[in-house]
Amino acid sequence: MLVVMIDLDRVAPPPEPAPRSRSWPAAVVAMALALLLTGAAPIPRIAELRQVAVTAGEAGPWLLTSGALYSTHSSANGRSDFDVVARSLTTGEALWQREVAWWGEVPVLTETGTALVLATRERAARPLVLDARTGADLVDPDTYTTARPAGERVLLWHEPTGRLSLYDPAARRVAWQRKSDGLVDAAVTSDGRLLVLTGSDFVTLALSSGDLLGRVVRDEIWGRELSIAATAGSSAYLLGRMNLNAVRLPGSPLWSAPLPLPGEAVPCGTRICVSGGVGLFALDPATGSIVWDNHDWVGGADGLVRTRHGHVLRIDPETGRVRTDLGPGLPADDMLLRPGSGGVDLVDLTTGQIRAHQPGVQPGACRRAGEHLACQKDGGQVTVWRLP
């Protein structure tokens, strides 16, 4: 018989202490491995935008380009004249400033090659073609009546002589001249053809020489208030007050589609999308027939559309089917400008992550050009920041 004797007076030794934990590096490694294995990316720090330029006071019409900010300001002389100021995005300093005598409607600023064009659709104000680097006149304003950007060049028309000229600002010379009964609008195709809309016809010219390649007489059904809305493939699209017209280049009319209050036409996938006051319409480019439409959408391009409630949707342009609701905001290249807490959140369209936040501005007052974002604040000043 086995008897076990227990000494109740003896105190058992304390248990050995557990080894000091060295688990925090392992935890970090485990988290990193988990991120790699799951494909998840760490949430980046929300960056602060670095200011690179700001206008000196309230600005009127303004233009942001890859290298400069052009802005207009009321002249101190109290007349309808205004000052044009060019500001560098590298130094933030003013490159040049000049006074412009102006009357009529608000000017539109366009950088065309090394030229800055100030023009309107009406003839109340004489357009100007300025050197974007100095602000000086590149062409004598008395030698032309109408100016329209044409790729890296400027198309000029002189009403008294009926002379149509293509000016090359890089070479500082007129490339060619020909007769024309007017100049309403112009565009350059990807294969180097110049499209010119006049008061009586729509012509296709060789950009290099001005030689006539094709001509279509403007029909009454097209309407008077026409503009060249888009080019896609071998076709051009002319937007009227109540229709969209297609021309097979160099000069064969295709179709005219009646549309209610069209405002913009852009290629979207293999369709032509027309937006306006009553919604967004996708047309078959071969026939002009409506493939799909949505009266809640107010515009869009590149597979993104905006709704009347301010949301941005990613869609299939072939069918109009919604793929993703990206939330409120305005698209700006690869980012979404979303109303944030007292400002704008810059959201990456690919990851959905906030890349930066800029207080004191609203998406509708902002424009993007490459690596820069410019916004006009409530006081009228325009500020430019470099994107992270």
Side-chain angles (χ1 to χ4, degrees):
M1 179 176 180
L2 179 63
V3 178
V4 178
M5 302 295 293
I6 301 176
D7 188 353
L8 298 177
D9 295 329
R10 184 178 177 181
V11 179
E16 293 185 9
R20 183 182 299 274
S21 173
R22 296 188 177 92
S23 61
W24 69 266
V28 172
V29 173
M31 290 177 62
L33 287 173
L35 290 172
L36 290 173
L37 292 174
T38 60
I43 299 176
R45 180 180 65 88
I46 297 178
E48 296 180 1
L49 298 182
R50 180 171 68 87
Q51 178 180 310
V52 296
V54 61
T55 60
E58 182 179 359
W62 54 278
L63 170 68
L64 177 69
T65 70
S66 59
L69 171 67
Y70 302 98
S71 58
T72 60
H73 304 266
S74 298
S75 179
N77 62 25
R79 301 193 302 268
S80 58
D81 302 348
F82 59 82
D83 293 326
V84 183
V85 180
R87 198 168 292 276
S88 169
L89 301 186
T90 302
T91 65
E93 301 296 325
L95 298 171
W96 52 263
Q97 177 175 340
R98 65 165 287 175
E99 187 178 81
V100 172
W102 200 266
W103 60 93
E105 64 177 290
V106 175
V108 175
L109 284 67
T110 308
E111 189 181 62
T112 305
T114 58
L116 178 69
V117 179
L118 280 70
T120 67
R121 290 238 168 237
E122 302 298 329
R123 296 185 181 179
R126 184 181 294 275
L128 292 175
V129 180
L130 308 180
D131 188 333
R133 297 162 295 191
T134 65
D137 288 299
L138 281 175
V139 188
D140 183 354
D142 293 330
T143 62
Y144 60 93
T145 310
T146 307
R148 292 286 181 261
E152 296 291 304
R153 301 170 178 85
V154 186
L155 195 62
L156 307 172
W157 180 67
H158 188 229
E159 184 175 19
T161 61
R163 184 181 62 244
L164 186 70
S165 308
L166 185 70
Y167 181 77
D168 184 346
R172 292 182 174 242
R173 66 178 181 86
V174 172
W176 50 256
Q177 294 180 344
R178 61 174 291 124
K179 285 287 187 177
S180 175
D181 67 348
L183 173 58
V184 175
D185 205 358
V188 175
T189 65
S190 59
D191 59 357
R193 289 183 283 189
L194 175 63
L195 310 181
V196 182
L197 182 65
T198 76
S200 61
D201 55 16
F202 173 75
V203 298
T204 302
L205 306 175
L207 181 64
S208 59
S209 63
D211 293 340
L212 180 66
L213 302 178
R215 177 175 179 265
V216 179
V217 177
R218 285 179 60 165
D219 194 282
E220 291 183 0
I221 194 174
W222 287 12
R224 292 185 175 181
E225 298 182 19
L226 283 176
S227 62
I228 302 175
T231 62
S234 59
S235 298
Y237 300 90
L238 311 180
L239 198 64
R241 292 188 62 185
M242 298 295 288
N243 58 15
L244 182 70
N245 311 279
V247 176
R248 177 74 65 186
L249 300 177
S252 303
L254 281 177
W255 45 260
S256 180
L259 291 169
L261 302 175
E264 184 183 30
V266 296
C268 55
T270 63
R271 315 296 187 190
I272 298 296
C273 287
V274 183
S275 58
V278 295
L280 184 66
F281 299 83
L283 275 59
D284 183 333
T287 64
S289 59
I290 297 175
V291 180
W292 56 260
D293 64 280
N294 192 305
H295 296 273
D296 185 51
W297 297 349
V298 295
D302 300 325
L304 300 176
V305 299
R306 305 186 308 276
T307 73
R308 296 187 186 279
H309 301 291
H311 277 229
V312 175
L313 310 176
R314 193 184 299 279
I315 68 165
D316 176 6
E318 302 302 314
T319 63
R321 182 178 58 85
V322 177
R323 290 174 171 168
T324 311
D325 186 339
L326 300 174
L330 290 173
D333 294 340
D334 62 344
M335 295 191 309
L336 182 69
L337 305 182
R338 176 176 294 165
S341 177
V344 170
D345 288 336
L346 281 65
V347 181
D348 190 302
L349 279 174
T350 302
T351 65
Q353 295 171 340
I354 299 176
R355 290 171 51 181
H357 174 79
Q358 184 57 44
V361 295
Q362 296 300 318
C366 299
R367 303 171 195 171
R368 181 180 177 183
E371 60 181 1
H372 293 101
L373 177 74
C375 301
Q376 189 161 23
K377 298 184 178 181
D378 291 339
Q381 274 190 316
V382 178
T383 304
V384 185
W385 298 273
R386 189 181 302 277
L387 296 172

